[in-house]
Amino acid sequence: MRVLLIDDHALFRIGLRELLERRGIEVVAAVGDCDDGMELVDTLTPDVVLLDMRMPQMSGIDVLQKMRQSHPQMRIAMLTTSQDESDVLASFQHGADGYLLKDMEPDELIDSLGQILDGITVVSRELTGILARAAVQKEDEPEQESETGGDLFGELTPREREILCHLAEGQSNKVIARHLGISDGTVKLHVKAILRKLDVHSRVEAAVMAVEAGFCHRNS
């Protein structure tokens, strides 16, 4: 695994680089400047980018948006101290593949990086309730359907709609497969189709979109 780290705190950056390299992970670069980081992404093409949320030149969300425009398939995860709901939701709305906290255990970080590399969207355990709270809040709001939202969801097949609602509940492919009586591979193919049709980059981003539109509430 080849990782690029963008974080303006030098001591944290140096320490994390050493930790990852001791675990056999190649850190292709560790920089504190956002512009340098974005240039290095173009030249080094890492497997995973770890991105801080709070930086002096621009926010992690701004960097994430710029990277997504030029590298839509690259794995990008936020690594931050922020547990603000707005930061978590904004990260996934703009295509983050993970949202990790800096105080997590080293073993948990390594495991999370492996999952992200495998295409699994990862959220630190402490933050799993945020999407659930967002879902409850949206269900309590008056339903509003936008033309674009309706058109996007209208492209989904009945099975894809069903799987999207399971994603919105935070279920894994294995759980969805068991619930629907189909294989993990079939679920994975449906998820890929959902992401393509909704024009998003991660399953959590698709789940947030469904929650915000009240899609599953309308179709229940």
Side-chain angles (χ1 to χ4, degrees), residues 45-56:
T45 58
D47 297 316
V48 180
V49 176
L50 287 177
L51 181 60
D52 191 16
M53 178 66 74
R54 305 274 188 260
M55 291 182 285

Side-chain angles (χ1 to χ4, degrees), residues 155-180:
E155 294 182 10
L156 301 179
T157 67
R159 178 62 92 186
E160 289 165 356
R161 289 168 176 258
E162 191 175 16
I163 289 175
L164 175 59
C165 288
H166 285 291
L167 293 180
E169 294 175 0
Q171 296 181 6
S172 67
N173 285 358
K174 287 185 178 180
V175 172
I176 296 172
R178 187 164 59 246
H179 182 82
L180 299 180

